[in-house]
Amino acid sequence: MTSRIIGTGSYAPAQVVTNDDLAKIVETNDEWIRSRTGIGERHIAVDEGTSHMAVEAAKRAVENAGIDPKELDIILLATSSPDNCFPAGACEVQAALGAERAVAYDLSAACSGFLFALNTVNAFIQAGIYRTALVIGADCLSKLTDWSDRGTCVLFGDAAGAAVVQAADSGLKTMVMGSDGVKGPVLSCVARSEGNFLNGKTPQLGYMYMNGQEVFKFAVKKVPECVNQVLEAADMDIEDVKYFVLHQANYRIVEAAARRLKQPIEKFPMNMDRYGNTSGASVPLLLDELNREGRLERGDQIVLAGFGAGLTWGAALIEW
Ligand code: ACO
């Protein structure tokens, strides 16, 4: 027994911000951003937040799967930018869908979040504890961005992606997940900078900090490593993989991974030109795009991989 993705959905806010728009806010330009990252524009949430985006993506995934939300046993929302400390965004999704039977909670693993959530629900399904799950990756990093820092503000966009996963005889074959907390400081965002117990101060929310070159080095080493691990565990030839759906941080990271894996770049679909780095949403957003474009056929072998703050990484080999 394993689990199979039976439906996908995604959502991005209506407001599109181009590289030229950003050049009016910070000293940057379209050429610099495109050549370093592959990003041309991104969607930014104005009047909405992570939960709203998660709900919209979830509704589309449930509709695409053709199930009744009451069939859901578990809703897992991967996010590192929840609207609230509590209640969990997943509980808001549960309420909006009327998925009254489901247990709902959030999981935090930044850009690896969707992979961690997918692998977690798969473990529940394999153990026979749950049968039908909703996995969502949603992030609204625009709210954690210092819009005067050109080194980070050009990279991210807001979005949500979701998948309905159900017990099946074929589907998710092998998975890996890993964490390296020692390297955590290279990519961080402090939630509360200081305690406010009777000190008269208003707690400050932090902005994200990134050492871009360290993250780059980590990603180009780790992605091929975890892709090879899931293939080896399944005794699968890399040539049999149709698509490598990687976290959309940066086209140079994806190109470097393709080179190291000795695979043609055409097997690595990308959409960061239109969405930027959407953190936990990026893998399910791209998967949904491929699904809706009819590019996925039953029996296709697909590798999903995410990497990000923690530091964390995760991969899964799935049969569509
Ligand atoms: N526009 C113009 N110039 C800029 C910008 C910008 N937006 N940002 C930085 N610069 C300048 C810097 O100030 C610096 O100028 P200086 O030489 O005068 O000091 C110069 O460009 C080079 O800066 P670097 O930080 O060395 O630029 P680099 O070539 O490393 O590119 C980048 C930065 C794109 C972030 C790169 O390090 C990278 O791709 N890192 C991977 C990290 C990543 O993708 N993170 C995404 C989030 S993490 C995740 O999803 C896992």
Side-chain angles (χ1 to χ4, degrees):
M1 177 63 67
T2 185
S3 61
R4 200 166 78 77
I5 294 177
I6 59 165
T8 61
S10 61
Y11 175 85
Q15 176 77 53
V16 173
V17 176
T18 65
N19 292 343
D20 288 338
D21 292 333
L22 288 180
K24 293 176 195 147
I25 306 173
V26 288
E27 204 180 317
T28 189
N29 57 72
D30 182 59
E31 196 280 320
W32 193 97
I33 301 170
R34 274 185 202 273
S35 62
R36 298 285 201 301
T37 69
I39 298 167
E41 58 189 35
R42 69 286 293 143
H43 293 245
I44 298 293
V46 181
D47 298 319
E48 55 201 324
T50 300
S51 297
H52 176 80
M53 296 192 296
V55 166
E56 293 305 314
K59 283 181 180 166
R60 293 171 190 187
V62 164
E63 192 189 338
N64 186 245
I67 63 157
D68 184 329
K70 292 184 176 47
E71 288 177 53
L72 292 170
D73 299 306
I74 177 168
I75 299 173
L76 207 43
L77 168 61
T79 183
S80 44
S81 50
D83 295 339
N84 311 304
C85 294
F86 45 82
C91 293
E92 295 180 78
V93 174
Q94 180 207 18
L97 294 185
E100 57 208 38
R101 286 184 51 251
V103 62
Y105 57 95
D106 291 0
L107 176 155
S108 169
C111 307
S112 312
F114 181 78
L115 263 300
F116 278 35
L118 180 67
N119 290 335
T120 301
V121 301
N122 182 58
F124 277 123
I125 290 171
Q126 280 191 336
I129 297 168
Y130 299 128
R131 190 182 133 69
T132 306
L134 173 62
V135 183
I136 310 160
D139 269 309
C140 198
L141 292 191
S142 64
K143 295 185 181 171
L144 307 177
T145 298
D146 176 354
W147 287 98
S148 67
D149 173 15
R150 67 177 181 173
T152 54
C153 79
V154 301
L155 302 175
F156 300 96
D158 301 328
V164 176
V165 179
Q166 201 165 54
D169 292 333
S170 65
L172 198 151
K173 290 183 166 172
T174 52
M175 45 141 278
V176 292
M177 297 190 281
S179 309
D180 180 1
V182 172
K183 297 217 181 79
V186 305
L187 184 52
S188 64
C189 183
V190 177
R192 292 261 189 279
S193 56
E194 55 188 11
N196 63 334
F197 179 61
L198 297 181
N199 65 4
K201 292 183 182 166
T202 305
Q204 301 293 311
L205 286 177
Y207 291 122
M208 84 174 75
Y209 163 81
M210 181 182 71
N211 179 332
Q213 284 167 15
E214 283 303 313
V215 174
F216 193 91
K217 277 191 267 176
F218 152 72
V220 297
K221 178 169 173 284
K222 216 30 130 179
V223 174
E225 204 173 285
C226 65
V227 168
N228 280 326
Q229 281 171 344
V230 290
L231 293 174
E232 274 163 29
D235 203 14
M236 158 109 29
D237 189 334
I238 195 164
E239 304 302 331
D240 294 333
V241 175
K242 182 170 180 183
Y243 289 127
F244 299 87
V245 178
L246 306 187
H247 168 48
Q248 301 288 291
N250 179 314
Y251 90 95
R252 291 188 305 150
I253 292 175
V254 177
E255 273 189 342
R259 260 196 318 275
R260 287 190 185 202
L261 291 164
K262 298 189 174 54
Q263 290 295 294
I265 196 69
E266 292 70 30
K267 282 186 165 189
F268 294 76
M270 290 184 242
N271 65 4
M272 80 279 279
D273 57 325
R274 286 168 287 127
Y275 293 102
N277 177 348
T278 58
S279 189
S282 93
V283 169
L285 177 67
L286 181 55
L287 195 64
D288 183 47
E289 214 167 79
L290 294 171
N291 188 21
R292 283 171 197 269
E293 286 169 3
R295 291 166 68 187
L296 303 176
E297 284 167 38
R298 195 78 197 262
D300 284 347
Q301 308 296 326
I302 298 159
V303 174
L304 312 178
F307 51 93
L311 297 174
T312 54
W313 58 93
L317 169 64
I318 60 171
E319 183 173 304
W320 191 253

